Every structure is written in structure tokens, then in C-alpha cells.
């Protein structure tokens, strides 16, 4: 899965986000729709679909879609 | 490690909730989009709040009286009473001892409180069943409940919309033909801050500053005597430690999804419970939920879900149930319970 596909998958999961508005450089906390519940939704998505469990403190260090992609990739959640 | 208790049967369960409802659809001061997301993610549409003066012990007392009456059990025959609660009536004495008198139990009855929350029903069952087996008791009551909303600030959107108040009573008896109860129990004190109330105890007593409201982040304000909940920390714990414990437990019990009729999880939040179910690959196993109507009711959530969602089955047939409580402590536990038809499985309002 490349980063574009990964970005689209995140968009699908976040209900109020309009398709095509997120990019790899999107900063989660700067999204107008962002709230802490989105963090839990991302944790659930990474855990169940990418086999990557993210701790709360790790999530707070991940600011962009690209950083999340790289994190999951390092943990082996995305085949290289 | 599996801990097995033989010769003990669960005979009946009654749960008790306050009539007073709080709706997350109409009673929350957040915008529509966030409200909709909150309800969808947590699964909590409404919950019950105890009015002033109605305590966890009161609801447990109510449940216990109805349970004993409906099961045809005399209070004189109860030899052990354990109350699991984090919201006892007084700092001391233990509320279970006061309930010994209020329930008309004999003075020979062993009575004490256990201070646990979300894992408390599993721990309580292990304590009561273990004491029945170890001490040769014949009959006991486990009470479990909390008025958690007394610990939550209405201006804390991380906790207030999730919790509800409830109590419960469970009747256990010695029985030579009961299937063994199998438990696995866990504790991790290194993460105690994930869910905690900082003030009001021995470490930080009550002072003039205890009631000062601090705004931690937008939409999250509370004082030192109110609950602090790290949602991401709890999610991480549940999706890793709890899942792993359940996976190992099933393996050690030589069971899989085909051998389980219902997985009854502590009702913490829907996203967490769905994640647990998916990670365990138990998609075909029934996972009843009461989050939509009662929210997270702490140690009462499992018995409340059992009687609210499964009463007909529990009253009429044998069921293989996997119960799992997880949360504050951090503390968690699993129970494999193959039930015989119960005498009572009821839900009452007060």
C-alpha cells in the first residue's frame, strides 16, 4: 500500500472529512474537524487493519499522515 | 495462568439502575458534529444517573433483596457478602458491613468491600467463588456497582458522556455438579494514572484547593476530586494487553469461537469492544452491548449486560460465556462460565 492509498483509507474512516482533502502532509491537529476521538479511531484502524498497536504517548508524537505511515511501516504494518 | 474454582454455581443475577436518564443527544454542551461522533464512537446514547441520596450500596441493596426474594433464598442463609465498589457510602466503615444489617443477613456473615472498578465483577466472582470453595461456605452474595457520575465533571467531555450509575447482585452457591469456573486475573500498577481521581485520598487529601476547577484542554475541565481519564492510554491497554490475555486464556481453556455462545465485555466504549472482537477473530461470536442505554457502569456493566440482553437464554438453557472486565488499576480479568439455567436474571429501576 502506498502513502496515497493509506491517506484515502484514513479519510474513509474519519466520517466528517471530505474525500480528497487530506494529503500526506496534513497535520492532524490542524484539521478543522479534528478532535481527540479521531485519535482513538486512528488507533483502532491501525490496530485492526495494519496490525500496529500505537500507545497514547506515541500517537501524540505523530503529527502528520506521513509520520503515521512511516510509523506503521517501521512496525511492519505495511508491506515494503 | 488459569485459576479454577470447582463446586460453585452462579444461581441468579439482578441489576438495578436509576430511572433518571441523561441523553447524550440532548444534554451535552458540544456541537452537533462532535456529539454525533461521540455517540458513534463510544456507543453511548443515554445513561442513568442516580439522584442525590441514591448510592451504589442502595442500588445493590435493592437488587439483592429482589434477587433473594425471587430465588426463594432466606437472608439467614447468606454466609458471605462482598461489595465491589469505588463509591462506597463512607470512607469508613465498609458499606458491605452496613448492608449485612440492611439486608437482614446474620451476624455470622463475612462482609467486606473490594475497591475495584471495571474489572471488579470478575475479581468479585473469583473472590466469592474461591471463598465458597476454600471455606466450605454454602451460599454468598456478590454486589457490584458504582455511582461513577459523582466522580465526573459535567464539563469534562472525556468522561461525563460515557459513565452511568448502576448496581447489581449475584447469588452463588456450593454445588457439586457445577462446571468449574475458570479465571485469569491481571494487574499493572505502572499505568495507574490512566484512570484516576488524584485527590481525596491519603496521598492528596481534601483541601481548599481540591474543588478548584482546572481546564486541562478545551472541553475538559475538572477538579482534584474528579475522574481523570486518558482515553488513548485505555484504548492502547485494551487493544493489546486485554486482547492478548483473552487470546491466551481461550487457548489455555482449549476453546475457540465455536465453543463460546457469548462474549460479554466490560462496557467501556463501543470502539474498544469492537476492536477487541476483531483482533480476537471472533466475528461470529455474539457480543451483547448495553452501552447505548446505560453507558459505562463500572463493575455493574457485565451483570447489567447479562440480565438486560441475555436473560431469556440464561433462564432457560446452558450457555458458554466468556466474560472480561478491564479498566481502572490497571486491572483486568477473564472468566469462562458454563452456566446452568439461572433461577433469576432480572433488571429493575429505582
Amino acid at each position: 500500500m502506498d502513502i496515497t492509498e493509506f491517506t484515502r483509507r484514513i479519510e474513509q474512516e474519519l466520517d466528517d472529512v471530505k474525500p480528497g482533502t487530506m494529503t500526506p502532509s496534513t497535520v492532524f491537529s490542524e484539521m478543522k474537524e479534528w478532535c481527540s476521538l479521531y485519535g482513538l479511531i486512528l488507533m483502532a484502524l491501525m490496530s485492526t487493519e495494519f496490525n500496529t498497536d500505537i500507545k497514547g504517548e506515541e500517537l501524540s508524537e505523530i503529527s502528520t499522515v506521513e509520520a503515521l505511515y512511516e510509523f506503521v511501516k517501521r512496525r511492519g504494518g505495511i508491506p515494503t | 495462568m488459569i485459576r479454577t474454582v470447582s463446586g460453585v454455581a452462579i444461581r441468579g443475577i439482578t441489576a438495578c439502575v436509576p430511572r433518571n436518564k441523561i441523553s447524550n443527544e440532548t444534554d451535552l454542551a458540544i456541537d452537533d458534529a462532535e456529539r454525533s461522533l461521540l455517540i458513534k464512537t463510544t456507543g453511548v446514547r443515554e445513561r442513568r444517573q442516580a439522584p442525590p441520596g441514591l448510592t451504589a450500596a442502595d442500588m445493590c441493596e435493592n437488587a439483592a433483596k429482589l434477587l433473594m426474594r425471587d430465588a426463594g433464598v432466606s437472608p439467614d442463609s447468606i454466609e458471605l457478602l462482598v461489595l465491589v465498589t469505588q463509591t462506597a457510602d463512607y470512607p469508613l466503615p465498609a458499606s458491605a458491613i452496613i448492608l449485612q444489617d440492611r439486608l437482614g443477613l446474620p451476624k455470622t456473615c463475612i462482609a467486606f468491600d473490594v475497591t475495584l472498578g471495571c474489572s471488579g465483577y470478575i475479581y468479585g466472582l473469583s473472590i466469592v467463588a474461591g471463598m465458597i470453595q476454600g471455606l466450605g461456605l454454602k451460599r454468598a452474595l456478590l454486589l457490584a456497582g458504582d455511582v461513577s457520575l459523582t466522580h465526573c465533571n459535567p464539563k469534562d467531555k472525556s468522561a461525563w458522556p460515557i459513565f452511568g450509575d448502576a448496581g447489581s447482585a449475584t447469588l452463588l452457591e456450593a454445588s457439586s455438579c457445577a462446571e468449574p469456573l475458570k479465571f485469569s486475573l491481571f494487574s499493572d500498577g505502572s499505568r495507574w494514572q490512566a484512570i484516576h481521581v488524584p485527590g481525596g485520598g491519603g496521598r492528596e487529601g481534601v483541601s481548599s484547593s481540591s474543588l478548584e476547577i482546572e481546564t486541562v484542554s478545551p472541553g475538559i475541565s475538572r477538579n482534584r476530586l474528579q475522574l481523570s481519564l486518558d482515553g488513548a492510554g485505555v484504548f492502547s491497554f485494551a487493544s493489546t494487553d486485554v486482547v492478548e490475555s483473552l487470546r491466551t486464556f481461550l487457548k489455555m481453556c482449549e476453546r475457540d469461537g465455536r465453543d463460546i455462545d457469548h462474549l460479554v465485555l466490560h462496557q467501556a466504549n463501543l470502539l474498544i469492544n469492537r476492536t477487541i472482537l476483531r483482533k480476537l477473530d471472533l466475528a461470529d461470536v455474539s457480543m451483547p452491548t448495553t452501552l447505548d442505554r446505560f453507558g459505562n457502569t463500572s463493575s455493574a456493566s457485565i451483570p447489567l449486560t447479562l440480565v438486560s440482553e441475555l436473560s431469556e437464554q440464561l433462564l432457560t438453557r446452558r450457555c458458554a460465556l466468556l466474560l472480561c472486565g478491564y479498566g481502572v488499576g490497571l486491572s483486568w480479568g477473564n472468566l469462562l462460565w458454563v452456566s446452568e439455567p439461572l433461577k433469576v436474571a432480572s433488571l429493575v429501576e429505582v
Side-chain angles (χ1 to χ4, degrees):
Chain A
M1 176 182 274
D2 65 19
I3 194 164
T4 306
E5 210 178 329
F6 182 79
T7 307
R8 295 289 85 80
R9 182 65 194 94
I10 289 176
E11 269 182 356
Q12 286 170 5
E13 202 68 9
L14 305 181
D15 276 359
D16 294 328
V17 177
K18 286 184 185 161
T21 57
M22 288 183 83
T23 68
S25 61
T26 298
V27 176
F28 293 120
S29 61
E30 291 176 0
M31 293 164 62
K32 65 177 171 49
E33 306 89 349
W34 183 259
C35 70
S36 59
L37 286 169
Y38 276 165
L40 298 187
I41 292 170
L42 288 181
M43 289 173 82
L45 180 67
M46 297 306 124
S47 180
T48 54
E49 290 193 18
F50 297 91
N51 199 28
T52 301
D53 294 307
I54 307 175
K55 292 178 181 168
E57 58 270 27
E58 290 171 333
L59 186 70
S60 62
E61 299 289 314
I62 296 169
S63 59
T64 64
V65 175
E66 186 176 15
L68 180 60
Y69 181 78
E70 292 301 327
F71 182 91
V72 174
K73 204 170 165 184
R74 279 198 302 278
R75 293 284 180 91
I78 293 170
T80 52
Chain B
M1 179 185 289
I2 293 183
R3 303 178 193 279
T4 301
V5 181
S6 301
V8 179
I10 297 170
R11 296 293 194 208
I13 306 169
T14 298
C16 177
V17 294
R19 280 196 185 85
N20 180 40
K21 295 178 184 176
I22 315 178
S23 168
N24 282 347
E25 289 176 322
T26 56
D27 301 340
L28 283 185
I30 55 177
D31 66 49
D32 288 348
E34 191 169 1
R35 178 183 301 109
S36 168
L37 182 64
L38 186 138
I39 292 172
K40 184 184 170 194
T41 309
T42 64
V44 184
R45 199 165 292 280
E46 65 179 29
R47 52 245 154 72
R48 305 297 179 95
Q49 182 179 27
L54 181 70
T55 68
D58 294 336
M59 288 187 283
C60 288
E61 177 190 2
N62 202 288
K65 282 179 173 169
L66 291 170
L67 175 58
M68 287 191 286
R69 184 197 70 186
D70 295 344
V73 164
S74 165
D76 283 343
S77 66
I78 303 294
E79 296 171 294
L80 167 66
L81 176 71
V82 174
L83 168 63
V84 178
T85 189
Q86 298 179 126
T87 47
D89 283 8
Y90 305 101
L92 58 94
S95 295
I97 301 169
I98 301 171
L99 288 174
Q100 169 271 326
D101 178 57
R102 281 163 47 179
L103 290 169
L105 311 187
K107 288 183 182 172
T108 50
C109 180
I110 303 162
F112 59 91
D113 286 3
V114 172
T115 316
L116 284 169
C118 313
S119 65
Y121 190 63
I122 308 300
Y123 268 80
L125 286 173
S126 78
I127 292 165
V128 172
M131 287 183 73
I132 288 175
Q133 181 192 47
L135 300 179
L137 308 178
K138 289 192 176 72
R139 186 170 284 153
L141 279 175
L142 168 65
L143 311 182
D146 271 309
V147 282
S148 301
L149 285 170
T150 59
H151 278 154
C152 298
N153 190 309
K155 291 185 176 170
D156 181 350
K157 66 180 181 182
S158 69
W160 176 259
I162 298 166
F163 286 96
D165 301 333
S168 70
T170 301
L171 177 68
L172 294 95
E173 292 177 343
S175 167
S176 57
C177 53
E179 287 264 353
L181 297 168
K182 294 184 176 179
F183 296 92
S184 63
L185 303 165
F186 306 87
S187 315
D188 181 359
S190 70
R191 289 178 280 175
W192 65 272
Q193 286 176 310
I195 310 166
H196 77 295
V197 175
R203 183 73 58 192
E204 179 185 316
V206 178
S207 67
S208 56
S209 63
S210 299
L211 296 174
E212 287 173 10
I213 302 289
E214 182 190 1
T215 297
V216 181
S217 60
I220 301 182
S221 298
R222 56 184 174 239
N223 68 35
R224 301 292 294 174
L225 305 180
Q226 293 174 323
L227 188 80
S228 164
L229 178 68
D230 169 11
V234 174
F235 184 92
S236 170
F237 154 64
S239 62
T240 54
D241 303 80
V242 174
V243 166
E244 188 52 38
S245 80
L246 278 163
R247 200 176 274 143
T248 305
F249 184 62
L250 280 169
K251 196 173 173 185
M252 292 178 82
C253 291
E254 298 178 338
R255 298 257 177 175
D256 62 27
R258 289 166 297 184
D259 309 313
I260 301 293
D261 294 316
H262 306 285
L263 170 63
V264 184
L265 298 173
H266 164 59
Q267 302 291 289
N269 115 18
L270 195 59
L271 184 71
I272 290 178
N273 285 359
R274 283 184 173 160
T275 300
I276 291 173
L277 192 71
R278 272 187 81 177
K279 293 193 76 175
L280 287 173
D281 202 17
L282 294 178
D284 295 332
V285 174
S286 136
M287 186 183 72
T289 181
T290 48
L291 278 160
D292 54 338
R293 284 158 295 143
F294 302 114
N296 178 342
T297 53
S298 186
S299 56
S301 82
I302 292 174
L304 175 58
T305 302
L306 287 168
V307 299
S308 171
E309 304 306 300
L310 301 175
S311 63
E312 190 186 334
Q313 294 179 55
L314 290 171
L315 289 168
T316 56
R317 71 186 77 144
R318 188 180 163 97
C319 297
L321 298 145
L322 176 57
L323 311 184
C324 172
Y326 62 88
V328 61
L330 298 174
S331 168
W332 63 111
N334 308 312
L335 165 63
L336 179 65
W337 169 34
V338 180
S339 70
E340 293 297 328
L342 299 185
K343 292 178 179 174
V344 182
S346 60
L347 170 60
V348 294
E349 292 182 324
V350 287

